[in-house]
Amino acid sequence: MRPTRALLTCGVVAGPLFIALVLIQDYTRPGFDPRRQPLSLLSLGDLGWVQMANFIITGLLYGAFAVGMRRWLHPGRGGTWGPLSIGAFGAGLIIAGAFRTAPGWGYPAGAPSGVPTEVGVSYVLHGVGFFVVLVSLIAACFVFTRRFAVLGDRRWAISCAVTGAALPTIYVLSGVLSQSGEHPQPLSLLLRLLAFVGWGWASLLAVRLRREATAGRRPRP
C-alpha cells in the first residue's frame, strides 16, 4: 500500500509544482509579459529549458500518478479508463516539453508581434502534445464523473462534470475572443486559466484518491 500512496502523491505534487514554476517565470523572466504571451513561450530563449523541464517533470509525475491510480482502483469503477486518460495527459505534457513552440507575440526579442509566422515540426508536435493534454483531461473528468455518481458522491461527480465542461469552453473562448490569436491578451490569460483549472483538478483528484488509499477504503459499486 505504501508504494501506491507514494505514486498517488506524485499527482498531488504535480499541479502545484507546474503552476508555481509558471508563475515564478511569468514575473521574473526578462522581457516576458504573461498578460499577452502564452505560457508555452516560456520554453523559448536562454532560460527556456526551465519550462521545458517543467512540462516534462510534471508529465512524469502525472504518469506516476496514473500508475498509482491503477494500483488503487483496478478492477473497480474507473480503474481502467481513469489511469489511461491520466497517463495520456502526462504523455501529452512530456511531448509539449520535448518540442518547443515557435516565437510569436513579441517573445523572445525580435519575434513577430502576432501569431508565429515561421513554424516547423517542433511547433506542430508541441501542438499535438497540447491536444493530447486537453482531450485526455476532458476524458478523465467524465470517467470520474461516472465513477463518483455511481458511488453516490454527488459533490465530486458535479465538480468533475463542471471541470470537464469548463475545459473545452475555456479553450474555445480563447480562440474566439482572441480572433485566433490576433489579440494575445485573452489567448494568454484563458490558456493559463485552462492549465490552472485542468492541472488543479487532476491534483485534487490525486488528493482524494490518496485519502482513500490512506484510509484503506476501496469503494466498489
Side-chain angles (χ1 to χ4, degrees):
M1 189 62 68
R2 186 172 297 175
T4 299
R5 290 199 302 269
L7 289 166
L8 294 173
T9 300
C10 290
V12 176
V13 171
L17 174 65
F18 183 89
I19 292 169
L21 285 176
V22 167
L23 290 174
I24 291 170
Q25 293 178 88
D26 277 348
Y27 296 102
T28 60
R29 182 73 66 85
F32 191 84
D33 184 354
R35 295 169 298 178
R36 61 183 304 272
Q37 290 159 346
L39 67 86
S40 287
L41 292 178
L42 288 167
S43 296
L44 303 176
D46 293 340
L47 295 173
W49 64 269
V50 176
Q51 183 56 27
M52 294 177 73
N54 192 20
F55 276 124
I56 293 170
I57 292 170
T58 304
L60 291 172
L61 287 171
Y62 278 126
F65 169 41
V67 174
M69 181 187 294
R70 179 173 174 81
R71 288 170 62 102
W72 176 243
L73 296 181
H74 191 76
R77 178 71 64 180
T80 298
W81 290 106
L84 285 174
S85 55
I86 292 297
F89 167 45
L93 286 171
I94 293 170
I95 294 170
F99 299 97
R100 303 184 188 205
T101 189
W105 297 287
Y107 189 84
S113 59
V115 297
T117 55
E118 296 184 11
V119 299
V121 174
S122 181
Y123 173 84
V124 172
L125 291 176
H126 182 85
V128 168
F130 175 76
F131 177 78
V132 171
V133 163
L134 181 61
V135 171
S136 57
L137 261 182
I138 295 169
C141 286
F142 290 110
V143 167
F144 284 96
T145 296
R146 179 172 172 78
R147 177 181 189 265
F148 288 119
V150 169
L151 295 176
D153 192 330
R154 184 181 179 188
R155 182 171 65 88
W156 261 94
I158 292 173
S159 67
C160 291
V162 169
T163 304
L167 293 175
T169 301
I170 294 169
Y171 177 69
V172 170
L173 283 175
S174 72
V176 171
L177 296 180
S178 69
Q179 296 185 358
S180 299
E182 293 299 327
H183 300 292
Q185 187 170 63
L187 179 71
S188 177
L189 296 179
L190 286 171
L191 289 181
R192 276 175 169 74
L193 177 62
L194 186 150
F196 294 170
V197 170
W199 283 233
W201 172 82
S203 285
L204 287 174
L205 176 65
V207 171
R208 164 62 189 258
L209 296 181
R210 191 183 186 284
R211 286 176 179 170
E212 289 182 9
T214 299
R217 300 191 308 269
R218 194 188 298 268
R220 297 272 175 82

